[in-house]
Amino acid sequence: FSFIYQGKPWLYQIFKYFCKTILFDTKTMKTQTRRKYIMTNLSDQKWGLYINSVGNQVISENEAYPPQNHPTRYLFNTTNGRVLDEYQLLYITRGKGIFASESSGRHVVNEGDLFLLFPGEWHSYCPDPSTGWNEYWIGINGDIIDQWVEKGFFSKESPIFKVGLNEDIISLYKRAIIIAEAQEACFQQ
């Protein structure tokens, strides 16, 4: 692929790596709210990169946010924010909103923006009530992502990537959701 993310061509390759790309026809995939929370075990963790959660949400104009149908460890309110014990990479594909974190401050996020949440880092985000938004996310952990952060590929101070709308990225998220929902043998590998 020829697109470059903020001068960081490796960003797409990293995302592709942990989503385990398999090409498919995205036109047959309808947009709907889908979520999968995954129990991991020591064997999964030994691979060095494992998925904890993946999904997408369609938030309409003036809809309450966040939806309250998530496991307790993921619940938050937008005033107090939260701290996770995993990385999450979110992609906004419609609408706009606000993202804030302890290290980066407060930012407007728009359609086509990716933002990375860091474990142990306070954050909050929400769609603008006048637009709502569509969001995709994938929650990951492991030594590999920790090394990418240590080597400076990602930083708490610059967690937003203005990549634009891209069907390849949306396809990767959708494929990760399909794999997680199926949970076939060795799906974490």
Side-chain angles (χ1 to χ4, degrees):
F1 298 98
S2 61
F3 47 89
I4 297 176
Y5 300 125
Q6 291 183 326
K8 299 178 182 180
W10 47 265
L11 180 60
Y12 177 75
Q13 293 303 319
I14 290 171
F15 184 70
K16 183 176 167 182
Y17 174 80
F18 71 72
C19 286
K20 301 174 185 9
T21 283
I22 297 174
L23 296 176
F24 64 101
D25 181 6
T26 59
K27 293 182 173 110
T28 63
M29 300 287 298
K30 295 185 178 177
T31 301
Q32 57 180 317
T33 297
R34 297 166 77 181
R35 310 178 181 93
K36 186 67 181 174
Y37 299 95
I38 302 164
M39 299 296 294
T40 61
N41 59 43
L42 188 55
S43 178
D44 297 329
Q45 295 170 14
K46 286 181 181 179
W47 283 91
L49 189 66
Y50 54 94
I51 296 172
N52 298 311
S53 65
V54 62
N56 71 294
Q57 299 183 130
V58 177
I59 307 299
S60 301
E61 294 175 12
N62 299 310
E63 184 176 339
Y65 189 87
Q68 297 300 302
N69 51 353
H70 296 281
T72 305
R73 71 180 183 187
Y74 293 102
L75 289 177
F76 73 105
N77 72 55
T78 57
T79 303
N80 296 330
R82 69 176 173 191
V83 175
L84 292 173
D85 63 356
E86 67 187 45
Y87 297 91
Q88 282 194 359
L89 186 61
L90 290 93
Y91 186 39
I92 305 305
T93 60
R94 180 192 60 81
K96 64 181 179 179
I98 297 294
F99 165 74
S101 72
E102 183 176 342
S103 297
S104 72
R106 183 179 165 99
H107 306 273
V108 173
V109 289
N110 295 294
E111 177 180 291
D113 289 350
L114 279 162
F115 56 97
L116 183 62
L117 309 177
F118 289 81
E121 173 86 348
W122 175 89
H123 65 270
S124 183
Y125 54 91
C126 65
D128 183 314
S130 69
T131 64
W133 71 17
N134 292 359
E135 71 180 60
Y136 287 87
W137 79 89
I138 189 164
I140 59 173
N141 262 334
D143 296 336
I144 292 172
I145 185 75
D146 290 338
Q147 290 172 16
W148 291 339
V149 171
E150 287 172 17
K151 292 180 180 185
F153 289 109
F154 301 106
S155 77
K156 293 177 183 180
E157 295 75 24
S158 298
I160 300 172
F161 303 92
K162 301 214 173 268
V163 300
L165 279 180
N166 186 292
E167 283 299 319
D168 292 323
I169 296 173
I170 294 168
S171 293
L172 291 170
Y173 274 104
K174 288 178 178 180
R175 188 65 191 151
I177 293 167
I178 289 169
I179 290 168
E181 287 176 342
Q183 289 197 21
E184 294 176 1
C186 302
F187 79 100
Q188 282 278 25
Q189 291 80 43

